[in-house]
Amino acid sequence: ICVAVLPSWSSAHACQPLSIEANRSDAQNIEEADAVFLAHITRLDELPRTSTSPAMAKATYRLLTSFKGDIRSVGSVRTGLNNCHATLLPGGDYILFARRDAKTGDLIVAPGFRGTRQFFKGADESERHARAIRNSISKSSNSKSSKPHP
């Protein structure tokens, strides 16, 4: 008799279906993100794995355009190496929606994509998406600054 023992995945490792994430608006993704920026990925390194963490990688980037947040001109983001995370490949340009890790301050590209996608310079859809993000952030900033302070 042969018995296979397979690791069990807790709900902490499970992804939400991409169809749910696809219904999120850019405005929702922007609101939730600490940083939104266009970057060129120059390197991808797998990070050491622990028994409690999913497979992660550090993607080194060169900033092309910052839409939201204080972003270094050269830096890195952490991302997962499974189907829950956006696939960041060296040599590609991406619009990244990231959150800051409360303990380390590192930028993390959120699971479920949360707006992160590859950017193709000159492609109408990519250019429209970048303009829409810029406009959405501009409108959000204007509405917040026009509210009276207590």
Side-chain angles (χ1 to χ4, degrees):
I1 297 177
C2 180
V3 177
V5 179
L6 300 173
S8 65
W9 286 92
S10 70
S11 61
H13 289 80
C15 295
Q16 292 182 2
L18 292 180
S19 60
I20 292 172
E21 297 301 327
N23 293 329
R24 292 174 56 87
S25 70
D26 278 335
Q28 289 172 305
N29 290 326
I30 290 165
E31 183 67 30
E32 191 174 280
D34 295 316
V36 181
F37 57 105
L38 174 60
H40 179 78
I41 303 301
T42 59
R43 183 179 172 130
L44 187 69
D45 296 299
E46 188 170 354
L47 296 172
R49 191 169 182 178
T50 68
S51 61
T52 59
S53 71
M56 298 288 288
K58 178 176 83 168
T60 304
Y61 68 81
R62 184 179 77 249
L63 181 66
L64 301 174
T65 303
S66 176
F67 300 110
K68 176 183 177 185
D70 185 20
I71 310 301
R72 296 179 181 172
S73 60
V74 174
S76 64
V77 295
R78 289 186 310 192
T79 187
L81 292 176
N82 59 35
N83 66 348
C84 297
H85 293 80
T87 302
L88 305 179
L89 299 174
D93 294 341
Y94 296 85
I95 295 177
L96 301 171
F97 289 73
R99 291 182 135 179
R100 288 218 181 265
D101 182 294
K103 292 179 184 174
T104 66
D106 292 346
L107 288 172
I108 302 171
V109 175
F113 297 94
R114 305 267 186 202
T116 292
R117 65 188 68 171
Q118 193 160 14
F119 179 83
F120 298 98
K121 187 170 177 61
D124 289 345
E125 184 179 341
S126 288
E127 298 288 348
R128 267 195 308 274
H129 188 236
R131 276 193 305 276
I133 290 169
R134 187 175 290 114
N135 291 339
S136 182
I137 290 172
S138 176
K139 286 177 187 175
S140 175
S141 295
N142 289 339
S143 69
K144 287 179 183 176
S145 65
S146 64
K147 291 181 182 176
H149 294 283

